[in-house]
Amino acid sequence: MVAVTCLMTLPLMAAIGWDASRTRLERAAEVRDQAAAVATAAAAAVDQYFASLDAMASVLVRHPAIRALDGDECNRLLAALLVDQPLVANVSLRDRNGVVRAAGAGLVDGRPQQVPAPPHVLEVLATGRPTVTDFAVGQVSGRPTVFQAYPVRGADDSVIGVINFAVNVSRLQQVFESIALPEGSVVTLVDRQSRVLVRSVDGERFIGTAFDERAVEPKDVPRTFTRTGGDGIDRLHANAVVGRGPWLLSVGIPQSVVAAHIAPLWRRDLIVGLSAIGGVLLLVLWPLHHTSRGLEALRSSAQRIAGGDLTPPARGPAPNLEIAQLQDAFVTMATNLREARDALDFQIEQERKMRETLQSLQRQVVRQERLAAVGTLVSGVAHELNNPLQAILGVAELMECREGLGLETLDDVALIKTQGSRAREIIRSLSRFGSHQSGPPALVDLREVITEVIQLRRPNLESSSIALEVDSSCAQKVYANVTEIERVLLNFVVNAQQAIDSTTRPAGRIVIRLSHTGKKVRVEVHDDGPGVPAEYESKLFQPFFTTKSIGQGTGLGLSVSYGIIHSYGGTVGHSGNQWGGATFFFELPVADVPAVESVSV
Ligand code: ADP
């Protein structure tokens, strides 16, 4: 992302580079134009100066003293002329033989020095036309100069002499020096041989040396060029032709001036550019930073959710609308996921409970069917045994009435009767297991049944240090035989006491609870004994199932209770309780609604 942002700044940087290059070219052009303007003006000034010499010469050549080649008069005249013309180093007059007749300077004892006629003088004498020389050295002064010579004509228009001006190159140099130009600039006047005539800086060093070794004609020199001068400085030159020579007038401005002009502009461009890039980076990276922080928070929330923690993430400040929407969608998704998982957990729990209930019901149905089969069998056996037993007891009573029986025989008969009676009781009990009601039912108040049983068992319970609590607020009545219901409840209480007594604990607790659930009245007996082991649960209500020692248990209590309650359309059952003990209960239909045959629990 940072790389993309940097790429975005590329056009900006390219624009800055282009602007810098344009600025450099424009400033260079400005400097070149400035130099060209100076060069043109200076060339014009030089031309103008030589034009003024022409005017002066045209007056001089017509002067009577000059025409007369009058030495003394001409000496005075020419000396006076030099006073007014600082740019003229000397002016001399030669006759048609080239002999010096008069001079403005360089007189010895009032006479001009006699030096041979230089070629340009001979040329003027021969051609009769004015001429100007290139770089030359003064014959008298020995200083660099340029000669401008004019013919002097006699009355017959023939050339009788030459007026020769020696231009003061040093003074011309001073004029060039006074031109206002940037530091390091140089104004150079170059002759046709490309030798330096005048140089505004270091003239003594460069005058007479070659300006350009190629000796190009001044008119062929380009208007501008750059070159490294003899002083080693790179300059940008603008050139103009001085028509008199023709000579070349060149104004050179150092490249460093261009650079100095550009530097502040470049600095300004650089500051503006860097500020713009900084602004762009700030504008892009700041929101980017916040966006990536927002995304990071969402990523860690997604990891947490993937790890199973479906708690919806807290809504934080979002850097922009898109992240806010993403955050909302994420929170909604997490909330929905959690609700879906909760619903799934709830459904799984419900299904588990239903499965358990179903399994329990299946076990109960199997147990019910088995008990029903056993009940049918037991009832049949009891019925078949009852008749022979009645006959045995009847015969025993008849025998008892016979006279003459010995004491021993009477004892045997009494034993037959006792055991027979006992067998009859067992058979009766077995008959009850087979759900045969012992008599017509009547309205029974279960609170009274509970009171009866408590009165019966309280002394016994107290001797075993067992606390008995009763919760019997329900006033609903049932249709049943009160004695039989008492017997069922008594069975439950006695079993509870025996279970508590089987532990090593010194005390125990029994709670009898009477409640009303819908159309049924429910009686529960809770104890804090050891409870019923799982492997015995399926056998509890079978006749003769007992875990007690001989004499203490017959295994008929629960099976008879089952038969009694079932015969009134009720249900009997068992469960564990919070004390780790057992809870036995029975339910009977409420008396004021018709009793419904229900599935035994
Ligand atoms: P008996 O009491 O003569 O053994 P029951 O039919 O009344 O016959 O009881 C059968 C068996 O059920 C008992 O031997 C005992 O193992 C178990 N039982 C009954 N009630 C409880 C109870 N409250 N706590 C633990 N086990 C019990």
Side-chain angles (χ1 to χ4, degrees), residues 337-351:
L337 268 179
R338 195 167 71 161
E339 284 174 3
R341 193 188 62 178
D342 289 349
L344 205 63
D345 286 351
F346 179 74
Q347 197 173 342
I348 289 171
E349 179 61 19
Q350 289 294 101
E351 281 179 6

Side-chain angles (χ1 to χ4, degrees), residues 363-379 428-437 484-492 495 537-545 555-574 584-589 597-601:
R363 280 199 304 272
Q364 285 167 12
V365 166
V366 170
R367 201 182 311 151
Q368 175 93 20
E369 285 174 351
R370 198 163 55 225
L371 285 176
V374 172
T376 308
L377 176 70
V378 166
S379 302
R428 274 192 192 144
S429 295
L430 288 175
S431 302
R432 289 304 290 125
F433 178 71
S435 302
H436 297 294
Q437 288 180 10
E484 287 182 333
I485 300 302
E486 275 177 12
R487 187 174 172 190
V488 172
L489 186 59
L490 194 63
N491 266 335
F492 284 2
N495 278 344
E537 281 185 9
S538 60
K539 302 174 189 167
L540 280 179
F541 295 96
Q542 289 178 8
F544 304 114
F545 172 76
L556 286 173
L558 289 179
S559 57
V560 169
S561 301
Y562 172 86
I564 291 168
I565 297 301
H566 201 248
S567 71
Y568 295 116
T571 53
V572 186
H574 150 269
F584 282 84
F585 66 87
F586 66 83
E587 286 180 344
L588 286 170
E597 187 75 19
S598 66
V599 178
S600 171
V601 176

Side-chain angles (χ1 to χ4, degrees), residues 200-513:
S200 61
V201 180
D202 286 343
E204 289 71 26
R205 189 174 144 207
F206 289 100
I207 286 174
T209 62
F211 180 73
D212 190 337
E213 280 155 12
R214 290 169 298 170
V216 186
E217 280 283 313
K219 63 180 173 45
D220 296 334
V221 175
R223 261 183 67 76
T224 58
F225 60 81
T226 54
R227 70 185 279 268
T228 307
D231 51 7
I233 297 175
D234 279 339
R235 290 191 179 86
L236 203 131
H237 285 265
N239 309 308
V241 176
V242 178
R244 179 62 53 155
W247 299 321
L248 182 75
L249 194 138
S250 181
V251 174
I253 296 178
Q255 294 275 35
S256 58
V257 172
V258 179
H261 278 206
I262 297 168
L265 297 173
W266 277 6
R267 252 197 310 279
R268 192 187 62 196
D269 282 358
L270 200 66
I271 289 169
V272 170
L274 288 178
S275 306
I277 290 172
V280 167
L281 289 179
L282 203 69
L283 278 175
V284 174
L285 290 180
W286 183 252
L288 199 69
H289 168 70
H290 280 278
T291 303
S292 69
R293 271 183 58 186
L295 288 175
E296 175 59 30
L298 286 178
R299 193 183 65 80
S300 63
S301 298
Q303 272 183 342
R304 188 168 49 72
I305 287 170
D309 179 1
L310 298 182
T311 314
R315 276 191 180 81
N320 52 43
L321 184 65
E322 288 74 18
I323 293 289
Q325 286 173 343
L326 194 61
Q327 210 176 48
D328 280 351
F330 202 77
V331 170
T332 309
M333 182 195 75
T335 309
N336 290 347
L337 268 179
R338 195 167 71 161
E339 284 174 3
R341 193 188 62 178
D342 289 349
L344 205 63
D345 286 351
F346 179 74
Q347 197 173 342
I348 289 171
E349 179 61 19
Q350 289 294 101
E351 281 179 6
R352 191 186 61 77
K353 283 182 182 165
M354 277 174 64
R355 206 166 40 247
E356 279 179 9
T357 309
L358 194 65
Q359 285 171 351
S360 165
L361 280 171
Q362 280 172 343
R363 280 199 304 272
Q364 285 167 12
V365 166
V366 170
R367 201 182 311 151
Q368 175 93 20
E369 285 174 351
R370 198 163 55 225
L371 285 176
V374 172
T376 308
L377 176 70
V378 166
S379 302
V381 171
H383 182 71
E384 291 305 317
L385 283 178
N386 195 40
N387 291 337
L389 194 59
Q390 289 295 344
I392 290 169
L393 282 172
V395 171
E397 279 176 11
L398 285 174
M399 281 182 71
E400 220 176 12
C401 297
R402 271 187 208 161
E403 292 177 4
L405 292 176
L407 275 176
E408 201 172 325
T409 307
L410 282 173
D411 283 348
D412 290 342
V413 171
L415 185 65
I416 290 170
K417 275 181 71 182
T418 314
Q419 293 303 322
S421 299
R422 194 171 158 223
R424 191 175 57 200
E425 279 309 306
I426 291 171
I427 284 168
R428 274 192 192 144
S429 295
L430 288 175
S431 302
R432 289 304 290 125
F433 178 71
S435 302
H436 297 294
Q437 288 180 10
S438 56
L443 273 179
V444 176
D445 186 342
L446 289 172
R447 289 176 298 179
E448 290 171 6
V449 173
I450 292 170
T451 309
E452 277 293 318
V453 171
I454 288 173
Q455 275 178 0
L456 206 63
R457 292 306 297 176
R458 192 177 292 281
N460 220 301
L461 292 171
E462 281 173 0
S463 66
S464 295
S465 301
I466 294 172
L468 182 65
E469 294 168 38
V470 179
D471 174 10
S472 59
S473 54
C474 170
Q476 304 289 339
K477 293 184 178 170
V478 296
Y479 273 114
N481 182 305
V482 69
T483 313
E484 287 182 333
I485 300 302
E486 275 177 12
R487 187 174 172 190
V488 172
L489 186 59
L490 194 63
N491 266 335
F492 284 2
V493 173
V494 170
N495 278 344
Q497 183 184 352
Q498 288 177 337
I500 293 167
D501 285 344
S502 72
T503 67
T504 52
R505 281 188 285 120
R509 182 180 186 189
I510 293 175
V511 176
I512 300 174
R513 183 167 295 135

